[in-house]
Amino acid sequence: MSWAAHDLEPYLFRAKLGGIISLPLCLLGSYSPDILSKWAVYGLDFTGDAKLVSDPVQLHRGFPGVGFTHSLSFGILCAAIVLLASRNPMWAFSFLLGAWAHVFSDTLDSVGVMLLWPLTDWHLHFDVWQYVGQAGRKEDAIAYYTSLGGVWDILWAVWLGMHWRMFTAYHFHTEIVPRDSFWRWMRTRASDAMMLTVYRASAFFGIASIIGWYVWALLVNDFQNALDWSLGGPQWAPRQGPP
Amino acid sequence: MPPTPRPPAVSRPRAAVAFWVGAVLLYAGLGVLLPPLFLLGFWESVPFLFLATWLAGRLFPRPVPRLPAAPGE
């Protein structure tokens, strides 16, 4: 699985594709595959001791389970619902792009995704880093940020940093608000500071998380606190996913 | 010829960028101290970000441009 990449990818799509992307809907699409299942995968506490299901990997990425949320068809179905409900093709396309970006990002771990479900439950997985979600949030954070997963997050953060001007109030008011009816609707109901908070929230949390997790995993935490940028790492984590 | 005074518009964006870099680092620092609360809790970051946004609006004020009126407005 990916961590902050899911928070940051929609901003890059907005920066690169411009006014055809609705950032709130793209973010919603990006969150959609995990929004109902991640808490059950990790359990109720930080350490992973308070497990809720016996096979978190099967629940998260398999079928039976909710692995169908990580498929192309799930994104299409949700985008169709968005289109029917809103009659806004931009919102539907943005949702679809966010959802598919999440799905393709998650192909990089060892479990991968059922890309073509319901046609097949075959998993597309590139094994760039190890899936460790079954061990709980704490161990997954250590594994992810000491492996190439953390590099994946850094890549998106650096790329987004090159577009830092999109987070200025000036850019928001002149480029973002006029092109998306979501913000024009919100402007009649929320203060300027609240709108900017909503606009920046996912990027702020994503970038602060990357910095915080790296410092914590390498300098504060005392379990496996060394970088392992080998393909399929970290090597201490047990292999998960299809062969 | 008297020297031209330096326009404040140059230093203000730099100060704003420094403010936001500091805000991100401060939140990351809180996360390092208490990861389950700050690094896992997206919703916990929202009040912090709102406070930073409100403060930035006071420190580096910008006029909000008016949108063209929609039909019927």
Side-chain angles (χ1 to χ4, degrees):
Chain A
M1 62 181 79
S2 302
W3 281 53
H6 298 320
D7 299 319
L8 305 181
E9 286 160 355
Y11 290 94
L12 260 303
F13 293 141
R14 180 60 183 78
K16 293 296 178 189
L17 300 178
I20 63 169
I21 296 297
S22 166
L23 184 69
L25 270 292
C26 197
L27 281 166
L28 199 61
S30 183
Y31 298 145
S32 63
D34 283 342
I35 208 163
L36 295 175
S37 63
K38 207 64 173 283
W39 60 276
V41 172
Y42 281 137
L44 294 177
D45 66 347
F46 182 45
T47 60
D49 294 334
K51 288 202 177 303
L52 290 169
V53 293
S54 59
D55 191 347
V57 181
Q58 175 71 22
L59 171 78
H60 189 204
R61 299 283 180 80
F63 190 80
V66 294
F68 62 85
T69 58
H70 291 67
S71 66
L72 299 180
S73 57
F74 178 76
I76 292 171
L77 177 67
C78 291
I81 293 170
V82 170
L83 182 62
L84 285 173
S86 68
R87 305 281 174 193
N88 188 327
M90 181 177 98
W91 285 10
F93 173 69
S94 302
F95 188 100
L96 181 67
L97 192 63
W100 280 9
H102 184 124
V103 170
F104 280 108
S105 279
D106 282 354
T107 62
L108 296 174
D109 65 36
S110 60
V111 173
V113 300
M114 298 188 296
L115 192 73
L116 302 176
W117 189 91
L119 300 176
T120 168
D121 61 1
W122 166 77
H123 281 234
L124 177 63
H125 59 103
F126 292 105
D127 295 86
V128 179
W129 58 83
Q130 196 64 238
Y131 181 106
V132 191
Q134 78 287 348
R137 293 176 190 273
K138 182 180 177 182
E139 215 164 294
D140 191 27
I142 296 165
Y144 185 78
Y145 281 104
T146 56
S147 72
L148 288 173
V151 177
W152 178 242
D153 274 9
I154 289 176
L155 187 145
W156 286 99
V158 169
W159 197 6
L160 192 58
M162 293 160 69
H163 295 274
W164 65 270
R165 282 189 174 82
M166 74 180 293
F167 295 107
T168 62
Y170 178 79
H171 183 91
F172 177 67
H173 290 303
T174 56
E175 291 292 325
I176 303 291
V177 174
R179 296 180 183 217
D180 185 352
S181 54
F182 173 86
W183 298 111
R184 296 199 297 274
W185 169 83
M186 192 176 179
R187 201 161 90 151
T188 62
R189 290 161 177 82
S191 68
D192 191 50
M194 183 56 73
M195 286 174 62
L196 279 165
T197 300
V198 172
Y199 172 63
R200 294 165 173 161
S202 197
F204 178 86
F205 181 69
I207 289 172
S209 292
I210 293 171
I211 298 168
W213 279 124
Y214 261 109
V215 173
W216 180 83
L218 296 176
L219 303 176
V220 179
N221 147 66
D222 54 8
F223 172 73
Q224 304 290 355
N225 52 2
L227 292 174
D228 179 357
W229 285 351
S230 62
L231 207 57
Q235 300 303 329
W236 55 262
R239 172 85 172 86
Q240 294 289 330
Chain B
M1 193 175 173
T4 312
R6 189 187 177 93
V10 174
S11 60
R12 200 173 66 168
R14 283 181 189 164
V17 170
F19 172 88
W20 280 108
V21 169
V24 169
L25 292 178
L26 179 60
Y27 191 83
L30 290 171
V32 172
L33 294 175
L34 207 53
L37 186 59
F38 294 105
L39 293 185
L40 292 177
F42 169 79
W43 293 108
E44 283 80 352
S45 75
V46 173
F48 181 94
L49 178 59
F50 179 77
L51 193 65
T53 303
W54 176 84
L55 193 57
R58 296 292 175 278
L59 295 173
F60 319 106
R62 270 188 191 278
V64 178
R66 287 180 65 84
L67 284 176
E73 271 186 56

